[in-house]
Amino acid sequence: MLQIAKYCASGNDFVIFHAFEKADRSQLARILCDRQNGIGADGLIVLVPHESHDFEWEFYNADGSTASMCGNGSRACAHYAHRFGLAPSSMAFLTGAGVIKAHVEGDMVQSDLTPPVIVNQEIVESGMKWWLIDTGVPHLITFDADIEHFNIDLARTLRHRYNANVNIASINLDGTLRVRTYERGVEDETLACGTGMAASFYRAVQERLVDENTKVFPKSGETLYLGFEEGVITFKGEVKGVFETTWRN
Ligand SMILES: N[C@H](CCC[C@H](N)C(=O)O)C(=O)O
């Protein structure tokens, strides 16, 4: 029997539990994340003890693939860790992308992401200029004012060509950002993607299109607060513990 929690972070949803040791939980991730036959989620997060950090995590996408980082998942699991007494309100945990610091204040959680890396600024696909940026996982970013029409087929093609998540972003007149993301490992558009919002924000800051502190709105319409301070992207927003249950695996 597994004690599990279902979390939602800006529309990106996760199944979360904690265990004594690491294991290959790819098949369990597929079962739990299945929206018809399981609980349904974009990803599975498992917290395990770590000798020098508050904990370590395993992150699985809905298709069972592992990913080194998940921005919204890092906020959800920080809330879970604090709620279940596994970590203080300010914590540091180990992910595949490195150590992530997070701070929990009620249902508002901020994660400090790993330093962004611009992998390629010269990509042209379908007549648009894309940057490939790593914010813990790889993201293709383009700006397009016509964000209502997200070409899912193009996104799917580019996801496979570059093995990256694919984001289309638009700058609002008030200097805030809207971002839509086709997510690797979910293999569809999700209602939010934290590292995708962070990568889109980072490109917009580099191109001086937005300030170093602004709001970002994913498809869900929830509000995320992004900041860029001394090379670190801060990422803050609400998370919701939706329910807890036992799962007979
Ligand atoms: N699908 C991503 C991992 C989850 C990222 C996303 N959920 C986030 O909030 O950053 C990948 O495989 O690269």
Side-chain angles (χ1 to χ4, degrees):
M1 294 286 269
L2 276 179
Q3 291 292 336
I4 60 173
K6 174 72 191 287
Y7 265 81
C8 185
S10 329
N12 222 179
D13 58 348
F14 307 96
V15 173
I16 307 181
F17 65 87
H18 56 281
F20 288 108
E21 56 197 8
K22 298 179 79 170
D24 176 357
R25 294 177 169 101
S26 296
Q27 179 58 13
L28 178 61
R30 281 188 288 273
I31 292 165
L32 289 172
C33 294
D34 186 314
R35 294 195 184 281
Q36 277 70 42
N37 304 301
I39 292 176
D42 293 329
L44 166 66
I45 301 172
V46 183
L47 288 70
V48 294
H50 191 273
E51 69 273 0
S52 53
H53 299 294
D54 289 306
F55 55 88
E56 183 174 2
W57 87 352
E58 295 174 350
F59 181 86
Y60 301 88
N61 284 307
D63 68 356
S65 61
T66 57
S68 48
M69 182 46 194
C70 174
N72 287 319
S74 70
R75 295 189 301 111
C77 91
H79 190 283
Y80 173 96
H82 185 238
R83 160 145 175 40
F84 288 97
L86 303 174
S89 57
S90 290
M91 64 189 80
F93 57 94
L94 185 61
T95 72
V99 177
I100 296 292
K101 288 187 183 141
H103 178 70
V104 179
E105 213 160 312
D107 287 344
M108 288 299 277
V109 184
Q110 174 174 315
S111 289
D112 296 352
L113 304 183
T114 52
V117 176
I118 299 175
V119 177
N120 186 338
Q121 291 174 273
E122 304 300 328
I123 297 170
V124 178
E125 294 278 1
S126 282
M128 296 190 283
K129 240 190 104 176
W130 303 75
W131 287 20
L132 183 58
I133 299 175
D134 188 301
T135 45
V137 287
H139 285 274
L140 279 171
I141 318 291
T142 196
F143 293 130
D144 185 341
D146 182 18
I147 195 167
E148 294 312 319
H149 300 99
F150 188 21
N151 184 334
I152 282 284
D153 293 331
L154 171 62
R156 188 170 288 117
T157 301
L158 297 181
R159 171 265 179 272
H160 288 287
R161 187 170 296 162
Y162 295 88
N163 189 26
N165 303 276
V166 181
N167 303 264
I168 181 169
S170 71
I171 321 283
N172 297 320
L173 291 176
D174 63 357
T176 59
L177 260 179
R178 286 181 61 199
V179 179
R180 297 181 68 174
T181 307
Y182 178 97
E183 245 191 85
R184 184 178 73 167
V186 179
E187 301 312 331
D188 203 345
E189 180 180 12
T190 54
L191 291 177
C193 176
T195 49
M197 284 187 264
S200 304
F201 164 71
Y202 183 64
R203 175 175 173 182
V205 168
Q206 296 306 303
E207 295 194 303
R208 303 204 187 303
L209 300 172
V210 298
D211 292 341
E212 294 196 345
N213 285 284
T214 193
K215 291 183 213 173
V216 180
F217 303 100
K219 183 162 173 71
S220 67
E222 296 202 26
T223 303
L224 280 300
Y225 301 88
L226 274 288
F228 185 56
E229 296 151 30
E230 292 153 24
V232 172
I233 297 176
T234 59
F235 174 54
K236 185 164 94 170
E238 189 178 359
V239 302
K240 296 184 200 85
V242 182
F243 63 80
E244 291 152 27
T245 188
T246 54
W247 177 270
R248 189 188 314 278
N249 61 335

